[in-house]
Amino acid sequence: MADSTQQKAPSESNTQDQTDDNNNSTQQQDPKKKRTGPKRRKVTHACVYCRRSHMTCDEGRPCQRCIKRSIGHLCHDEVKNANNNNNNNNNNNNTSPVTHNGTTLSQQQGLNASLGSGTNLGGLPLQFYGQMGAGQLTFASEQMGNEISVISDFLDSLGSTQQPQQQHQQQQVYQQQQQQQQQQQQNNINTTERFFLTAADPSDGKLEDRLTEVINAKYEAGFLKPYNYVNGYARLQKYMDNNMSASSRQRILNVMGTFRPAFRSVAQSLTDIDLILVEEAFERLLLDYDRVFSSMGIPACLWRRTGEIYKGNKEFAALVNVPIENLREGRLCIYELMAEESAVNYWEKYGNIAFDPGQKAVLTSCLLKSPNPENTSVISCCFSFTIRRDKYNIPTVIVGNFLPIQLQ
């Protein structure tokens, strides 16, 4: 009996020791759940374009994302409230609202309010990159986020004027942007070499997987980019400001407000790679219409959803009295070849069925004109257009046929 009592005592002491060890180990493990290392450094203030496009920004001004989008000269922070500015001045004396090129933020916003003095409408209005109000959405593709922001703020944009001093300042900023782009090109050497190596020796696997790998490498190297529709909307706004009345502009803006929700819901999940594949399908479609237009005798042309004409036959070129070379690569827009009321009528009918998969063709009438302002004659036509959509139900190509009726 004594032996059994002695045996129980050690076992009880062992149990107590194990309990203490478990408590100690639990206490030691609990602190491990907390992060003991330095906290991850976060950017407290994103630039206006990264913030409104819901994309990641960095501390540089211009940031790397704006440099890649060729809008480094427009990169700046938003104006903060007075209370926030007072707090920031106490913490950091270097947070004065001055942009990277030495101008004040108000001057920079004045520069952003114009379409720019460079080519291809490089300097875009600041209101083109506004927020979408309540219910902010995040877009997988930066290009789609920009286009939705354009349509959102396009509804209340009325254009602006530009002073000669601002033009000179913007020219200096543009030169600085060119220098930054050259530096960025040097940083892209590694991605370029990786693309050439991937294209020369892709990994083993299915043909589709190898093609996807090459396309991704080509995109990372900067050789593939989605089409920038922002410039198309800037061109439309400039044309409306110079050639249309206020009531006509308002009617077109109201139409864009009708299809904006449907466009935004579809575009939210699209990536840049998806848009690149859509653009490749657009190029194949142009090749198909080369054969179609050459075999038909009716004046016809096709354009993008923002109006830039990319293909036309010789009959249409003769009808509007322009060289057929001007009907390529977006040199002309379809609304530039229509009388004001006809252009407004087209946008209204297009907006009503743009994202309705059940409808794709419209039959109406229009008045065509020559882009030459000295030629004031118009041509009355029976006009029909068909919307060609991609696999995401987004309008990609609009094909128009014109049947002349009477010369006025």
Side-chain angles (χ1 to χ4, degrees):
M1 294 293 291
D3 295 338
S4 63
T5 304
Q6 293 176 357
Q7 292 175 357
K8 291 181 180 179
S11 64
E12 291 176 357
S13 62
N14 293 335
T15 303
Q16 185 175 2
D17 293 339
Q18 293 176 356
T19 304
D20 294 339
D21 293 340
N22 292 335
N23 293 333
N24 293 333
S25 62
T26 303
Q27 294 176 357
Q28 294 176 357
Q29 292 176 359
D30 290 340
K32 292 182 179 179
K33 296 181 180 179
K34 298 181 180 179
R35 188 175 183 139
T36 58
K39 292 185 178 181
R40 182 179 179 183
R41 190 173 184 181
K42 297 181 179 179
V43 178
T44 57
H45 301 291
C47 74
V48 61
Y49 300 110
C50 292
R51 180 179 180 184
R52 294 179 180 180
S53 298
H54 311 285
M55 306 301 292
T56 305
C57 190
D58 54 50
E59 294 180 348
R61 290 298 177 270
C63 65
Q64 293 299 319
R65 187 172 298 278
C66 287
I67 293 175
K68 291 180 180 179
R69 292 164 54 194
S70 300
I71 57 172
H73 60 293
L74 304 179
C75 180
H76 66 275
D77 296 330
E78 286 187 329
V79 180
K80 303 174 186 177
N81 295 331
N83 295 332
N84 293 335
N85 289 335
N86 293 333
N87 295 333
N88 292 335
N89 290 331
N90 295 331
N91 297 330
N92 188 356
N93 295 327
N94 296 327
T95 57
S96 59
V98 178
T99 59
H100 70 280
N101 62 336
T103 60
T104 62
L105 189 57
S106 60
Q107 291 174 342
Q108 184 67 38
Q109 290 178 346
L111 297 178
N112 296 342
S114 64
L115 291 176
S117 58
T119 58
N120 296 329
L121 302 175
L124 298 179
L126 177 62
Q127 62 267 26
F128 278 177
Y129 297 93
Q131 299 182 9
M132 291 175 289
Q136 300 277 344
L137 297 177
T138 302
F139 293 88
S141 170
E142 184 177 354
Q143 297 286 344
M144 271 298 175
N146 289 340
E147 185 172 356
I148 296 298
S149 298
V150 166
I151 297 177
S152 299
D153 289 334
F154 197 34
L155 302 181
D156 56 0
S157 61
L158 297 177
S160 60
T161 59
Q162 185 176 21
Q163 301 297 328
Q165 182 179 2
Q166 294 177 341
Q167 293 180 355
H168 178 68
Q169 292 176 349
Q170 186 169 0
Q171 184 66 24
Q172 293 179 345
V173 174
Y174 178 75
Q175 294 176 356
Q176 294 179 1
Q177 178 196 0
Q178 296 297 323
Q179 296 177 357
Q180 294 168 357
Q181 289 179 351
Q182 293 177 359
Q183 182 179 2
Q184 184 66 26
Q185 290 175 357
Q186 296 177 357
N187 298 331
N188 292 336
I189 294 178
N190 293 334
T191 56
T192 303
E193 293 179 351
R194 185 165 58 250
F195 160 66
F196 286 123
L197 292 175
T198 303
D201 187 19
S203 59
D204 297 333
K206 297 181 180 179
L207 177 60
E208 182 178 356
D209 296 336
R210 295 199 302 268
L211 180 60
T212 301
E213 182 182 3
V214 173
I215 290 178
N216 289 333
K218 190 174 182 180
Y219 167 71
E220 292 176 356
F223 295 146
L224 281 180
K225 293 183 180 180
Y227 183 79
N228 188 3
Y229 282 95
V230 174
N231 290 339
Y233 290 107
R235 183 174 179 177
L236 174 60
Q237 184 195 21
K238 184 177 180 180
Y239 180 82
M240 290 194 304
D241 292 339
N242 296 332
N243 300 277
M244 290 188 177
S245 62
S247 59
S248 297
R249 292 198 301 268
Q250 188 62 41
R251 288 170 61 185
I252 295 178
L253 297 180
N254 292 338
V255 170
M256 292 188 176
T258 59
F259 66 75
R260 178 182 54 177
F263 192 10
R264 184 170 55 189
S265 62
V266 175
Q268 184 180 1
S269 60
L270 297 183
T271 64
D272 283 345
I273 295 296
D274 295 331
L275 299 180
I276 288 173
L277 296 177
V278 169
E279 188 64 19
E280 290 184 353
F282 172 78
E283 296 293 338
R284 289 194 295 268
L285 196 61
L286 289 181
L287 295 178
D288 293 337
Y289 272 96
D290 272 338
R291 176 178 51 84
V292 175
F293 283 174
S294 62
S295 62
M296 62 186 302
I298 299 177
C301 64
L302 63 84
W303 55 90
R304 292 182 182 268
R305 59 176 174 264
T306 45
E308 300 97 320
I309 298 176
Y310 268 71
K311 186 73 64 178
N313 59 6
K314 59 182 181 180
E315 287 79 10
F316 183 76
L319 182 63
V320 295
N321 194 23
V322 297
I324 194 172
E325 291 80 11
N326 291 352
L327 301 178
R328 299 172 185 170
E329 304 299 330
R331 295 184 179 92
L332 288 174
C333 294
I334 187 62
Y335 51 81
E336 296 173 350
L337 302 177
M338 292 182 177
E340 178 177 341
E341 183 61 29
S342 298
V344 175
N345 179 61
Y346 159 72
W347 281 110
E348 289 179 339
K349 287 181 167 36
Y350 164 78
N352 291 332
I353 67 169
F355 290 88
D356 184 0
Q359 302 184 57
K360 65 177 183 179
V362 173
L363 178 62
T364 181
S365 61
C366 72
L367 294 177
L368 292 180
K369 66 176 184 178
S370 173
N372 185 5
E374 297 180 356
N375 188 354
T376 58
S377 62
V378 294
I379 304 172
S380 178
C381 295
C382 180
F383 168 46
S384 67
F385 65 89
T386 303
I387 299 177
R388 300 291 301 271
R389 301 179 176 90
D390 56 26
K391 61 181 181 180
Y392 306 107
N393 196 37
I394 296 178
T396 304
V397 174
I398 296 91
V399 183
N401 297 318
F402 302 84
L403 187 62
I405 300 176
Q406 181 181 0
L407 181 64
Q408 295 182 353

